[in-house]
Amino acid sequence: MSDLQSHNPSWQLHCPISIPDNGEVITLSHGEGGRLMRRLIHEHIISAFGTMPSDSQAVHQNDPLLLMDDAARLPAIDGEIALSTDSFVVSPLFFPGGDIGSLAVYGTVNDLAVSGARPLYLTLSLIIEEGFPIALLDHVLKSVSTAARHTAVQIVAGDTKVVPRHAVDGLFINTAGVGQLVDPIAPGANALCEGDELIVTGPIGQHGIAVLCAREELALEPPPQSDCAPLTRAISVLRERMGMRIRAMRDATRGGVAAVLHEWAGASKQTLTINQCDIPVSPEVRGACELLGLDPLHVANEGTMVVAVEPGHADCAVEILRSLPEFVHATHIGSVTKKGISPVTIARTLGPEQPLDDPLGAPLPRIC
Amino acid sequence: MSDLQSHNPSWQLHCPISIPDNGEVITLSHGEGGRLMRRLIHEHIISAFGTMPSDSQAVHQNDPLLLMDDAARLPAIDGEIALSTDSFVVSPLFFPGGDIGSLAVYGTVNDLAVSGARPLYLTLSLIIEEGFPIALLDHVLKSVSTAARHTAVQIVAGDTKVVPRHAVDGLFINTAGVGQLVDPIAPGANALCEGDELIVTGPIGQHGIAVLCAREELALEPPPQSDCAPLTRAISVLRERMGMRIRAMRDATRGGVAAVLHEWAGASKQTLTINQCDIPVSPEVRGACELLGLDPLHVANEGTMVVAVEPGHADCAVEILRSLPEFVHATHIGSVTKKGISPVTIARTLGPEQPLDDPLGAPLPRIC
């Protein structure tokens, strides 16, 4: 399973750029607080985020990252705050539809957004293996920068650690995010009531299957694409148009849609029921899942969420979502029903309604 | 260098508890978003932080961690905010004077405190190697909890990733911290002026030497102890008594006191001069440094800072610090002088004043 058991470092898998044999690599000294580290931070990390160290003093004073203090100083935030963190250990680092850089931004931004917050600031912490090509680090940092600009969040503080060969597999990234809670905040899963309707915002299982196929070099045609993308726009449009008729939102990451439904069933003490034939699954994900014996409901997504709305409002929510080009496959998949024996049930295409499994743990390590 | 090149996992080094051969270990399924992960979080992580899942609903509602949402919802913070992040990859995980758990809390808390903030909240992100003993994880989490209580910060959000054997060496921890900026905020290194006086708050190089001796199993007697500890109390007393007469504060972590002095010299465009005979160094750190050919000024600290104060106020600052039992070795070590050729100079015990080296990178990986 581990990429280190092969002779080639894992970052070579699906590496998007050609790296010359004599290209500069990260050394232990890059992580040790001296001149080399300051140079790495200035020439590669800070410069990736748009403001060059050579810019005017005024820019320096306004950019917490450039000040390179121990902590970023940020203006006051009006009202309540949301705080989130996620570490990203995905293997391979690059996959169809994204890479560890875009994932590290969208993952934390989405966690803030589904919690009812407007994402404002991110911290970025890199753990890099000695020998990692600097050109590849630049490529990842560019993805981070593009994703941050795309979601209007600012990278304000960071940390860089370098560890000896074999102490980490290539590159791990942690992001922590701060957001401003905005009204109206969805009441959350506790508030789910009988009759509430359930929606998914797009085809499920795309991210997990895309990463798995890339890692195992399964040459499916077309290759499954990750859904790695921000949910901020969809959430802001839904909130604007539907307000408090939204009961709960959750991005269906590790554990997939099934994990969200089980968490919501547990929190609300209701039974959640979905219809198999309504669940959007792309042909390539369906094919890969059949091949690998996986249920797409258990596979991770990185830009797809489950939304619960008040009774009778699923069609409205689906219509709003489908007006956005990224969410044309949004679908009403089920509803909250009277508490039964099983917390989550699924009406299969053939046969009777069945309990939906809450797996002990999904079979896919290093998906995010 | 890498512990993985030996046959034993690195966590066995200085493991503080006896772990039965058949003890429960972390599996990949613990990181996959299913039932096993929820159980790990509830029974080991949340319970380590004092509030048990079985507590009353009122407690649930007040504890952002227990809600297990994607992001913690926190009350409004009055005024400006400080934000900081650090990843901890120390090897070995346990060393005289601390462990990765206490380090992960104090490291981020100190970064906030020296930036003029009152630390309020931490996020905690764990990256765990498959096969890591759960009993040892509990031990680390207890350290995290004790350190958080000791510094009055609340752990409000977290993340747990499990990676296959050899994809990470044992356990890495990231913490990100949010603090409230409090008045008066020290003007910072930019504001250093000729005549300003420089202080260190305790014996230098303790942390780096303690970790190095533990890792390389150098049996020094007595074993060097890490200074891993919070700086919050010292900073709050200094601020209270000295207000704006404090120019700058910085904890001397990676790169040691030398790195702080070089950063300050660069930021202020002044020359900083210190006297070797004034610098507090314990006999065991001095001995280990001589043995290993290291300069204690380049070795990392984790609870020791450099403070710059207005001319004539070093004695007052030293007296205030020495009134606290942890800082009885605080010493006035030098001053800011007219800009010379070298950014930092040191008056050696024997011989003339010399430039103090700004190393490319310290020779000690995985110290924090």
Side-chain angles (χ1 to χ4, degrees):
Chain A
M1 205 70 214
S2 162
D3 303 300
L4 278 174
Q5 284 162 13
S6 69
H7 293 296
N8 295 326
S10 69
W11 54 260
Q12 288 188 353
L13 208 60
H14 305 275
C15 179
I17 55 174
S18 79
I19 295 169
D21 284 344
N22 57 357
E24 215 186 335
V25 298
I26 293 287
T27 64
L28 288 177
S29 303
H30 280 112
E32 298 305 314
R35 262 182 297 155
L36 262 182
M37 177 160 151
R38 291 203 293 279
R39 202 191 298 160
L40 175 77
I41 293 174
H42 269 284
E43 293 177 9
H44 297 272
I45 300 177
I46 291 179
S47 71
F49 300 115
T51 345
M52 292 294 294
S54 57
D55 284 2
S56 72
Q57 184 65 18
V59 174
H60 277 243
Q61 283 171 350
N62 290 332
D63 189 333
L65 195 62
L66 271 187
L67 288 171
M68 289 186 62
D69 276 336
D70 281 315
R73 292 183 186 182
L74 306 171
I77 295 173
D78 195 20
E80 286 178 286
I81 287 169
L83 182 60
S84 181
T85 186
D86 239 326
S87 287
F88 298 87
V89 299
V90 65
S91 172
L93 297 175
F94 305 91
F95 46 83
D99 62 35
I100 191 171
S102 55
L103 194 59
V105 173
Y106 295 144
T108 294
V109 160
N110 287 347
D111 280 346
L112 291 172
V114 296
S115 303
R118 186 166 66 91
L120 296 174
Y121 304 111
L122 290 187
T123 64
L124 178 77
S125 181
L126 309 169
I127 303 177
I128 316 172
E129 187 181 12
E130 179 190 13
F132 193 79
I134 289 187
L136 210 53
L137 182 66
D138 285 338
H139 195 85
V140 170
L141 291 171
K142 206 173 148 197
S143 286
V144 170
S145 167
T146 305
R149 210 166 35 241
H150 193 44
T151 46
V153 292
Q154 203 183 345
I155 312 270
V156 293
D159 179 49
T160 307
K161 291 286 188 307
V162 180
V163 295
R165 271 173 219 274
H166 307 310
V168 76
D169 182 21
L171 172 67
F172 290 172
I173 297 183
N174 174 280
T175 50
V178 174
Q180 177 184 29
L181 283 168
V182 276
D183 288 317
I185 293 164
N190 295 342
L192 289 184
C193 299
E194 196 180 328
D196 285 352
E197 295 173 338
L198 303 170
I199 294 149
V200 287
T201 58
I204 66 169
Q206 293 289 138
H207 178 73
I209 294 299
V211 172
L212 191 68
C213 289
R215 184 162 64 208
E216 303 301 335
E217 307 199 63
L218 303 179
L220 298 190
E221 206 45 62
Q225 297 278 317
S226 168
D227 59 337
C228 180
L231 289 163
T232 38
R233 187 157 162 240
I235 290 170
S236 113
V237 175
L238 274 179
R239 290 159 61 82
E240 203 176 283
R241 302 268 302 276
M242 298 195 60
M244 296 302 278
R245 290 193 297 275
I246 303 168
R247 296 266 201 217
M249 297 181 286
R250 176 67 71 105
D251 50 338
T253 54
R254 276 180 291 177
V257 169
V260 174
L261 298 178
H262 273 280
E263 280 188 44
W264 284 6
S268 66
K269 316 256 185 280
Q270 305 279 349
T271 284
L272 276 55
T273 301
I274 56 174
N275 299 305
Q276 183 174 29
C277 60
D278 293 331
I279 297 162
V281 184
S282 70
E284 56 272 25
V285 165
R286 189 181 305 282
C289 280
E290 280 172 10
L291 195 71
L292 299 163
L294 297 171
D295 184 337
L297 285 164
H298 291 142
V299 177
N301 309 273
E302 282 293 342
T304 301
M305 62 177 170
V306 187
V307 182
V309 296
E310 282 186 7
H313 289 86
D315 290 348
C316 166
V318 166
E319 193 186 319
I320 292 169
L321 285 164
R322 289 191 174 183
S323 73
L324 303 170
E326 317 91 285
F327 299 99
V328 291
H329 298 290
T331 310
H332 174 192
I333 58 163
S335 58
V336 179
T337 58
K338 202 181 170 70
K339 182 163 176 58
I341 296 168
S342 301
V344 183
T345 64
I346 180 164
R348 297 276 177 198
T349 317
L350 298 170
E353 197 167 295
Q354 294 171 343
L356 178 68
D357 197 26
D358 180 17
L360 267 180
L364 307 174
R366 300 191 65 186
I367 284 298
C368 60
Chain B
M1 204 71 214
S2 163
D3 302 302
L4 277 174
Q5 284 163 12
S6 68
H7 292 297
N8 296 325
S10 68
W11 53 259
Q12 288 188 353
L13 208 59
H14 304 275
C15 179
I17 55 174
S18 79
I19 295 168
D21 284 345
N22 57 357
E24 216 186 334
V25 298
I26 294 287
T27 64
L28 287 176
S29 304
H30 279 112
E32 298 306 313
R35 261 183 296 154
L36 261 184
M37 178 160 150
R38 291 203 293 278
R39 201 191 299 161
L40 176 77
I41 293 174
H42 269 284
E43 293 178 9
H44 296 273
I45 299 177
I46 291 179
S47 72
F49 300 117
T51 346
M52 293 292 294
S54 56
D55 286 1
S56 72
Q57 185 65 18
V59 174
H60 277 242
Q61 283 171 350
N62 290 331
D63 189 333
L65 196 61
L66 272 186
L67 288 171
M68 286 186 64
D69 277 335
D70 281 317
R73 293 183 186 181
L74 306 171
I77 295 174
D78 194 20
E80 287 178 284
I81 286 169
L83 182 60
S84 180
T85 185
D86 239 325
S87 288
F88 297 87
V89 299
V90 66
S91 172
L93 296 175
F94 305 92
F95 46 82
D99 62 35
I100 191 171
S102 54
L103 195 60
V105 173
Y106 295 143
T108 295
V109 160
N110 288 346
D111 280 347
L112 291 171
V114 295
S115 303
R118 186 165 66 94
L120 295 173
Y121 304 112
L122 290 186
T123 64
L124 178 77
S125 181
L126 309 170
I127 303 176
I128 316 172
E129 186 180 12
E130 179 190 14
F132 192 80
I134 290 187
L136 211 53
L137 182 66
D138 285 339
H139 195 86
V140 170
L141 291 170
K142 206 173 149 200
S143 287
V144 170
S145 167
T146 304
R149 210 166 36 241
H150 192 44
T151 47
V153 292
Q154 202 183 345
I155 312 271
V156 293
D159 179 49
T160 308
K161 293 286 188 307
V162 180
V163 295
R165 272 173 219 274
H166 307 311
V168 76
D169 181 21
L171 171 68
F172 290 172
I173 298 183
N174 175 281
T175 51
V178 174
Q180 178 184 29
L181 284 168
V182 277
D183 288 317
I185 293 165
N190 295 342
L192 289 184
C193 298
E194 196 180 327
D196 284 352
E197 295 172 337
L198 303 170
I199 294 149
V200 287
T201 58
I204 66 169
Q206 293 290 139
H207 178 72
I209 294 299
V211 171
L212 191 68
C213 289
R215 183 161 66 209
E216 304 300 335
E217 307 200 64
L218 303 179
L220 298 191
E221 207 45 63
Q225 297 279 316
S226 167
D227 59 337
C228 179
L231 289 163
T232 37
R233 186 156 163 241
I235 291 170
S236 113
V237 175
L238 274 178
R239 291 160 60 83
E240 203 175 284
R241 303 269 302 275
M242 297 193 62
M244 296 302 277
R245 290 192 297 274
I246 302 168
R247 295 268 200 219
M249 296 181 286
R250 177 67 72 104
D251 51 337
T253 53
R254 277 181 291 177
V257 169
V260 175
L261 298 177
H262 273 280
E263 281 188 44
W264 284 6
S268 66
K269 315 258 187 278
Q270 305 280 348
T271 285
L272 275 55
T273 302
I274 56 172
N275 298 306
Q276 184 174 27
C277 60
D278 292 331
I279 298 163
V281 184
S282 71
E284 55 272 26
V285 166
R286 189 182 304 283
C289 280
E290 280 173 10
L291 194 72
L292 300 162
L294 298 170
D295 184 337
L297 285 164
H298 292 142
V299 177
N301 309 273
E302 282 293 342
T304 301
M305 62 178 169
V306 186
V307 183
V309 297
E310 283 187 6
H313 288 86
D315 290 347
C316 166
V318 166
E319 193 186 321
I320 292 168
L321 285 164
R322 290 192 175 183
S323 72
L324 303 170
E326 317 91 285
F327 299 99
V328 290
H329 297 290
T331 310
H332 173 193
I333 59 163
S335 59
V336 178
T337 58
K338 201 181 173 67
K339 183 166 174 54
I341 295 168
S342 302
V344 183
T345 63
I346 180 165
R348 296 280 177 195
T349 317
L350 298 170
E353 197 167 295
Q354 293 172 343
L356 178 69
D357 198 26
D358 181 17
L360 267 180
L364 307 175
R366 300 191 66 187
I367 283 300
C368 59

